[in-house]
Amino acid sequence: MTRRESAAELFDALGARYEDLFGRVPEQVAALDWIAERLPAGARVLDVGSGTGRPTAEALAAAGHAVTGIDVSAAMVEAARTLVPGARFEQADVRTYVPEEAGGFDAVCSFFPLLVMDQPEIEAALDRMASWVAPGGYLVLATVPGDIRGLDIEWMGHPVTVSSLSVEQHLRRLTEAGLEVLHHHTSTFVPADPLAGPEEHFFCYATRRPA
C-alpha cells in the first residue's frame, strides 16, 4: 500500500509550484477585494494556510493591515517570510494553533487549507476559526466541497488522503458557530497543469455581528 503524504509533506514538496498554479485563482482575488473593502485601517488579519504568502497575506499587508499567516509546511513559511516581509508567519497547524491576538481578528482568511485532514477535524477547524473572528469581523473561506471522507487520491503527482464537507454542511457549521453567512457561491477552476485537473471551488463570506 502506498504511504499517503501529510499536508506538511505535500506542500514542502510542491513549494513555489503551488503558487504558480493556484496563486491567481480569480475568485480568490475577488474574495480578497471583497474583504479589503470592509476592513478598518490597520485591521488584524489571520491567513490560515498562508502558503508562500501570496496572494492573501501580500495583498492585505500591502493595504496596511497587520497580517499573521500560519501554515503546516516549513518550506512554505520560509518562502513567505522572504516574499512577504510585511507580514508575520508561523509554522502552525489550525487544529492546534493558539492565537496570540487578544480579542480575536478583524478577518480570518482560509483558502483551501483543510482538505488533507479528516471530516471531524475539518468541522473542529471551522469552529476554531469562527471563534477567532472578533465581533464585526469576517471569515472568508474557500475549499473543494463535497461530503467526502478519507478518499485516497493522487494530486499533483503526490498520494494523499482528502476529506471535505458539502456546501450545506459548511453553511450549517458556520451558522452553528455563531457566524452569519453573507454570501456563498461555487465556481470551476482549471489549473494550467494536467496533474491537477479542474476543481469545483466553494467560496463563503461570513461575519460575526457586533453584540
Side-chain angles (χ1 to χ4, degrees), residues 6-148:
S6 68
E9 291 170 325
L10 171 64
F11 289 101
D12 278 348
L14 288 177
R17 187 178 174 207
Y18 180 82
E19 182 191 337
D20 291 341
L21 295 176
F22 295 94
R24 296 297 295 178
V25 176
E27 297 291 342
Q28 181 174 346
V29 174
L32 289 174
D33 289 343
W34 184 91
I35 194 70
E37 290 174 356
R38 289 160 174 80
L39 290 178
R44 299 164 298 170
V45 179
L46 179 66
D47 181 10
V48 178
S50 48
T52 65
R54 302 193 298 202
T56 303
E58 181 180 60
L60 296 176
H65 302 303
V67 181
T68 297
I70 63 170
D71 201 288
V72 294
S73 165
M76 289 291 195
V77 170
E78 181 179 358
R81 287 171 175 167
T82 299
L83 294 169
V84 190
R88 182 168 64 91
F89 297 94
E90 302 177 39
Q91 185 180 0
D93 191 319
V94 66
R95 293 169 290 189
T96 56
Y97 176 64
V98 179
E100 295 179 2
E101 299 285 347
F105 293 91
D106 299 299
V108 176
C109 298
S110 171
F111 293 108
F112 308 102
L114 308 182
L115 292 163
V116 188
M117 56 178 69
D118 200 6
Q119 274 191 340
E121 294 175 315
I122 295 170
E123 293 171 342
L126 291 172
D127 291 346
R128 289 172 61 79
M129 291 191 295
S131 75
W132 299 334
V133 178
Y138 299 92
L139 172 66
V140 177
L141 68 83
T143 191
V144 177
D147 188 0
I148 301 164

